[in-house]
Amino acid sequence: MTRIAIVTGAARGIGAATARRLAADGYAVAVVDLDEAACAGTVAAIAEAGGRALAVGADVADEDAVTAAVDRVTAELGAPTVLVNNAGILRDNLLFKMSADDWDAVMNVHLRGAFLMSRAVQSHQVEAGFGRIVNLSSTSALGNRGQANYAAAKAGMQGFTKALAIELGPFGVTVNAVAPGFIVTDMTRATAERVGVPFDDFVAATAKEIPVGRPGQPDDIAAAVSFFCREDAGFVSGQVLYVAGGPRA
C-alpha cells in the first residue's frame, strides 16, 4: 500500500530534500508551498526518479487554504497519513527593531500553519489507525540573537509536538520534531546577508564551531525525517532530535 505524505515548504531547501527522500522511500508526496509554480522543480525531480508527486499551492496560515489543499491531496493522491510541517519564514531583527507584523508573520507560518495542517490531516490518520507527523524545529529554539520571533516559534513547535504526541498516540499516530543546526539553504544565506557577511565566509566560520567539522545539508535533515516516518519507528514519539553535527541541550 502506497502511503500519502504532505510536505509543506517543499519548493526548495529542506522541504524539497524531504519530499524527494520520502518519494524515494515509496510515498506519494504532495509538495506544498505558497507558490504552486515554485514546486515544479521538486515534483519533476520526484517524477524523474520514478516517484509520484503533486504540486499544491497553499498559504499554510490560511484556514480555508489548508482545508482546500488537504481536500485536493485526498482527491488526487489519496488520504494523507504522513505530514511534515516544514514551512517557515524569517523576519529577523533585534527586539527594539522588530515590528508586530514581523512577530505575527513568523508565528503564523510556523505555529498556526503547523496547527492548521495537523488538524486537517489528523482525521485521515485516525481513520487509518496510522500516522506520522514530523515538525521542523531548530537549534534556534535554544535562543539566538536577532531571532526572538523565530526562536519562540521553534520552541513552540517542540511543545506542540509533545502535546500532539500525547493526544494522538492512542490512534497509532506518532509526532516528533527535528531541530536542524546550521544547514546550507537560502534561509541561512539570508541570515548571512542580514549580518553583512559573505555567505562562503559565514559557512566557513560556522563550520569551525561544529564538532563534525562541516555545515549540514538539506539531505541530512531529510534522513532524520525519513526515520521518524517509518512504520517501524512507531514506538518513538514526542521526541525532539537535534541534527546539528554535535550535541545540543
Side-chain angles (χ1 to χ4, degrees), residues 163-182:
L164 287 197
I166 294 168
E167 288 189 24
L168 298 179
F171 304 99
V173 181
T174 67
V175 189
N176 292 286
V178 175
F182 184 85

Side-chain angles (χ1 to χ4, degrees), residues 13-14 17 139 178-189 199 202-223 242-246 248:
I14 289 171
T139 55
V178 175
F182 184 85
I183 309 296
V184 177
T185 63
D186 289 345
M187 189 172 280
T188 50
R189 186 179 295 274
F199 189 55
F202 188 63
V203 171
T206 303
K208 291 179 181 178
E209 304 300 320
I210 299 173
V212 301
R214 69 168 178 87
Q217 298 294 330
D219 285 343
D220 293 315
I221 307 307
Y242 283 86
V243 183
R248 295 285 175 171

Side-chain angles (χ1 to χ4, degrees), residues 7 121 242 244:
V7 183
V121 168
Y242 283 86

